[in-house]
Amino acid sequence: MYPINDNIEKPLTQHIKNDGSWLTLKEYESTGGYQALKKALQMKPAEIIQVVLDSGLKGRGGAGFPTGKKWSTIDISENASSIKYLVANADEMEPGSFKDRFLLEGNPHQLIEGIIIGAYAIQASFSYIFLRWAYHLAGKALTQSIQEAYDAGYLGKNIGGSGFNLDMSLHISVGRYMCGEETALLNALEGKRSNPRAKPPYPSNSGLFGKPTIVNNVETLSNVPHIIMKGANWFMNLSKTGEGGTKLYGASGKVKSPGLWELPLGISLRELLEDYAGGMADGYRFKGVLPGGGSTDFLVEEHLDVAMDYASVAKAGSRLGTGTIIVLDDKTCPVGMVHNLERFFAQESCGWCTPCREGLPWTAKILYALETGAGKTEDLNILEFHTHYMAPGNTFCALAPGAMEPLQSALKYFKADFEMHIHQHKCPWNS
Amino acid sequence: MTEKVLTSGDISEIEKAYQHFPLRSAACIEGLKIIQKNHRWVSDDAVKELAELLEMSPAAIDSIATYYSLIFRKPVGRHVIMVCDSVSCWIMGYEGILNHLKNRLNIGYGETTQEDRFTLLSICCLGTCDHAPAIMINNDLHRDLTPDKLDAILETYK
């Protein structure tokens, strides 16, 4: 993170240190940490869900589903299952995304407090943090912090004398992008292959080991203590466009200052690119951008003034996704970039359903053929066909439809570049 | 009966892992991780012995072991180099880093240098895209790489 003195309120990141060490329990408490938990334990679970609902908080993992709405699908009546789970999804593997890493490595207790409050709201008795293997420093930070939370009585039996019990366990995964999909993640937690499950039943009815389960992203849960402490209105007013909250935005690619910034939800793509990422690196011109990770549609020059919130980016034909933008410059081949993405998605397909298992390698092979000068005119129609063949509703989960987003938008905005590959029998960028 | 791969230490670690779960089979991934931590990789015999321990078939274990990209079913060297080949690292020129590694170590993906020093693998996005290109060696992240920097880094892994 690059500290920029812009006087913007940054609840998620303001206390994160610059020296690469995470906030210990003592340090976290000195910034007001665990006060929200104390407040929450005085509230009724349904009241907490209502506050989160009113705050407008939407899932920060990429799908943008309202968190309060997700929580309210759990039965918290006396007749409900006595075993329920809350799982923090820390399997950040979306290409081009590096936001959860910052929260995990910098302020693990903020996440843990968010999980405890969330678990209390849905009356879960067990919680997991599902962490990807590559995040070693985060693994260390979480292991130590979970122990500190147990020792301080924030986890375990009768938390804060409230009668509420919660255990927490860290699960370190062993690879596979598919684990980020929430039902696939539950299979992985059960020790199985991370194939997705049919919905319904939704995890809130039948999740981990068949029990009611809620899965939330790290950034989503890290917001919860602040919402409880300062209220739904405060949270709503943080954003520029009425969707609530700040957002961790990032930028990678050939920009002057790649990085990560917590900003009001809804700043424009132009502000993010020019004011924070410093504009394009010297000698490079802007050509396009994936606004929220590898599985989002390209936006181009005409979209630079789009507000980076869920509704506005959707209206522009893409998705906010993870909010970490990947910038395409004029000296990078768009076909090569899409080939890199489709090869990734083909490799990471779990193979559970046919369109994804067969379709993704097909698209990757065609793109490779284009890149190496073996492309044919009909290839563009085959690529186009796949974007419909793997559209939402035709596959078991969102992996393949997500994979089609950069492809379908590249065919729309960079069609001439695809055609040049075919006519010149080579990649024009690779001469 | 030939000698067993799993030591009594491995077995007690695995037993501890499955006690947390309603079913022994739920500890399959944990079991594979434990074996790999203690033996660097998971051999056919290790798969069979784990299967017995978790009351699963060896095929069921192997379907999981071969599915997860970070479970190694072939021997690896003392140091495993994982090169991020995802989109931001691609834009920032990871291929230069990869070619340098291949030339320097004289191996390709999936291969191990003589005397078992290095194994070269690819890995998906490491989530440090503002510092691309990046690689991991064992548990260590190395970022903002150039071929020159890489040479100095390799020297620290004996």
Side-chain angles (χ1 to χ4, degrees), chain A residues 70-106:
Chain A
K70 201 180 212 182
W71 288 2
S72 62
T73 59
I74 279 257
D75 183 1
I76 52 172
S77 71
E78 281 173 16
N79 308 326
S81 165
S82 62
I83 302 172
K84 296 190 209 75
Y85 296 101
L86 187 126
V87 181
N89 186 346
D91 193 52
E92 181 167 69
M93 282 182 81
E94 181 68 25
S97 299
F98 48 99
K99 64 179 189 72
D100 293 336
R101 180 198 274 274
F102 187 72
L103 295 174
L104 293 162
E105 292 179 352

Side-chain angles (χ1 to χ4, degrees), chain A residues 127-206:
Chain A
S127 56
Y128 284 96
I129 300 174
F130 189 99
L131 180 71
R132 69 175 295 198
W133 170 87
Y135 284 10
H136 276 277
L137 186 61
K140 275 191 197 169
L142 289 168
T143 304
Q144 183 185 311
S145 303
I146 291 170
Q147 190 55 52
E148 282 179 332
Y150 266 107
D151 294 343
Y154 296 130
L155 285 169
K157 296 257 177 283
N158 191 22
I159 297 168
S162 65
F164 175 61
N165 308 323
L166 181 70
D167 282 305
M168 187 179 290
S169 174
L170 174 66
H171 174 86
I172 295 173
S173 179
V174 275
R176 282 299 196 154
Y177 173 68
M178 260 314 293
C179 294
E181 201 276 341
E182 68 176 12
T183 62
L185 181 151
L186 296 176
N187 277 334
L189 262 183
E190 291 182 11
K192 300 172 186 162
R193 292 165 71 116
S194 57
N195 297 329
R197 297 176 180 177
K199 291 190 273 195
Y202 287 89
S204 55
N205 284 324
S206 175

Side-chain angles (χ1 to χ4, degrees), chain A residues 6-57:
Chain A
D6 50 14
N7 295 319
I8 289 170
E9 205 171 348
K10 299 176 166 60
L12 292 176
T13 59
Q14 62 175 332
H15 299 299
I16 293 181
K17 297 184 278 184
N18 286 327
D19 63 1
S21 69
W22 61 85
L23 291 173
T24 62
L25 177 65
K26 268 199 177 147
E27 289 169 325
Y28 182 62
E29 284 176 327
S30 75
T31 66
Y34 288 106
Q35 292 303 315
L37 174 61
K38 285 171 191 154
K39 185 173 173 187
L41 291 172
Q42 306 291 321
M43 297 163 72
K44 292 201 177 84
E47 287 173 346
I48 295 173
I49 295 177
Q50 192 59 48
V51 172
V52 173
L53 208 51
D54 293 343
S55 76
L57 175 64

Side-chain angles (χ1 to χ4, degrees), chain A residues 404-418:
Chain A
M404 290 302 98
E405 292 179 23
L407 177 60
Q408 70 196 11
S409 48
L411 286 168
K412 183 171 161 192
Y413 297 119
F414 312 127
K415 186 110 186 210
D417 296 323
F418 281 79

Side-chain angles (χ1 to χ4, degrees), chain A residues 96-98 101 132-133 136 172 174 176 188 190-194 252 254 332 336-337 340 344 348 350, chain B residues 21 26 29-30 33 63-64 67-68 70 82 85-88 90-91 124-127 129-130 136 138-139:
Chain A
S97 299
F98 48 99
R101 180 198 274 274
R132 69 175 295 198
W133 170 87
H136 276 277
I172 295 173
V174 275
R176 282 299 196 154
E190 291 182 11
K192 300 172 186 162
R193 292 165 71 116
S194 57
S252 67
K254 298 271 171 59
T332 297
M337 179 168 170
N340 176 279
F344 164 83
E348 293 303 315
C350 73
Chain B
F21 294 110
I29 295 171
E30 285 307 312
K33 278 163 60 184
S63 78
I64 293 163
Y67 174 85
Y68 286 102
L70 294 165
M82 282 161 282
D85 63 359
S86 289
V87 64
S88 301
W90 179 80
I91 293 172
C124 10
C125 183
L126 286 172
C129 319
D130 50 342
M136 281 185 84
N138 305 333
N139 296 342

